[in-house]
Amino acid sequence: QVQLVESGGGLVQPGGSLTLSCAASGSIFGINAMGWFRQAPGKQRELVATITSGGSTHYTDSVKGRFTISRDSAKNTVYLQMNSLEPGDSAVYYCYSLRVGVHYWGQGTQVAVSS
């Protein structure tokens, strides 16, 4: 089992920035990838960003150039730096990890972009 604890969500004005954190604990050996999904009301959950155990990153097109995913292996923590936030980025953001073919999820953190 992998436990994931997220933090860093909140309310921000358009054009502002937020950084989300996701700390992993438990059976962290063998985690292949970690990242973030998001889900807005009435919409499907979408993959936002992923970082693999090898350090490769992937972003959905709508956040490229604005969001950066990174990790601190010593702290078993993944970060999502979000810049130039837009109202369309408003959603619940869920951290996930993929380990031996099994996805684990955090509880979600709300991000609201509004003036």
Side-chain angles (χ1 to χ4, degrees), residues 54 57-59 87:
T57 58
H58 167 81
Y59 300 91

Side-chain angles (χ1 to χ4, degrees), residues 30-94:
I31 289 178
N32 305 112
M34 291 183 66
W36 299 87
F37 277 74
R38 66 186 180 187
Q39 188 166 21
K43 295 187 177 181
Q44 289 188 328
R45 189 174 293 192
E46 67 167 343
L47 177 62
V48 177
T50 296
I51 186 165
T52 70
S53 57
S56 298
T57 58
H58 167 81
Y59 300 91
T60 191
D61 286 345
S62 63
V63 308
K64 287 179 180 177
R66 300 189 297 122
F67 290 12
T68 303
I69 189 169
S70 62
R71 66 182 180 184
D72 183 333
S73 297
K75 296 181 178 180
N76 300 314
T77 299
V78 170
Y79 304 95
L80 185 67
Q81 174 68 44
M82 304 185 293
N83 297 327
S84 302
L85 283 161
E86 304 168 353
D89 296 316
S90 298
V92 177
Y93 284 68
Y94 296 91

